[in-house]
Amino acid sequence: MILLKLLSQFLQPGNLKGDEDLVDFNEIVYLEVAVSIFDIYGCIDSVAINFNLNANVDDGSCVYCIYGCMDSTSFNFDSIATCPDLSCVSVMYGCTDPLALNYYAGANIDDGSCIYLIWMYRSFSCKL
């Protein structure tokens, strides 16, 4: 406000010396001022997941999506994933050996419960 007041006083007829013809007092005068008060550091890449709309200086902190399972309780948890891809698989305990009697195809962690059929063979000898 102070700047505009001083500017309006300066632009009054009679205050200009020399190049008075540069300003026509019958026209609107536009003043464009670019002011940067301070730098705001942050990610300025709009594609990054941590984009900062207020930042005006890139600080190298941009983080981009790495898709994977982000549920730490899932069987296929991906510790480097930054964006979920809906691929998480629940942990299912059971027998994972297809040769066992109680094989469970839905199990992804063997819990040691497999049961096997054991054939016993005995030989008998007969004397006549």
Side-chain angles (χ1 to χ4, degrees), residues 12-85:
Q12 295 300 318
N15 287 347
L16 296 175
K17 306 293 182 215
D19 295 46
E20 283 96 355
D21 60 329
L22 292 178
V23 178
D24 182 359
F25 290 103
N26 294 323
E27 294 181 15
I28 297 174
V29 176
Y30 291 95
L31 177 65
E32 184 177 326
V33 178
V35 177
S36 178
I37 297 173
F38 52 88
D39 292 336
I40 301 173
Y41 292 87
C43 175
I44 60 173
D45 186 350
S46 61
V47 177
I49 60 176
N50 64 330
F51 169 66
N52 182 349
L53 184 63
N54 298 316
N56 56 17
V57 178
D58 192 352
D59 64 359
S61 67
C62 294
V63 176
Y64 301 92
C65 274
I66 299 173
Y67 291 96
C69 175
M70 296 179 64
D71 181 357
S72 62
T73 64
S74 292
F75 176 70
N76 61 330
F77 170 66
D78 186 350
S79 63
I80 63 168
T82 57
C83 293
D85 66 356

Side-chain angles (χ1 to χ4, degrees), residues 64-124:
Y64 301 92
C65 274
I66 299 173
Y67 291 96
C69 175
M70 296 179 64
D71 181 357
S72 62
T73 64
S74 292
F75 176 70
N76 61 330
F77 170 66
D78 186 350
S79 63
I80 63 168
T82 57
C83 293
D85 66 356
L86 307 176
S87 70
C88 295
V89 176
S90 298
V91 171
M92 294 297 287
Y93 292 95
C95 176
T96 59
D97 184 353
L99 300 176
L101 292 174
N102 63 333
Y103 168 68
Y104 176 46
N108 49 35
I109 296 181
D110 196 317
D111 63 0
S113 67
C114 295
I115 299 171
Y116 299 93
L117 183 60
I118 300 174
W119 291 95
M120 297 183 80
Y121 175 75
R122 273 187 118 174
S123 68
F124 295 95

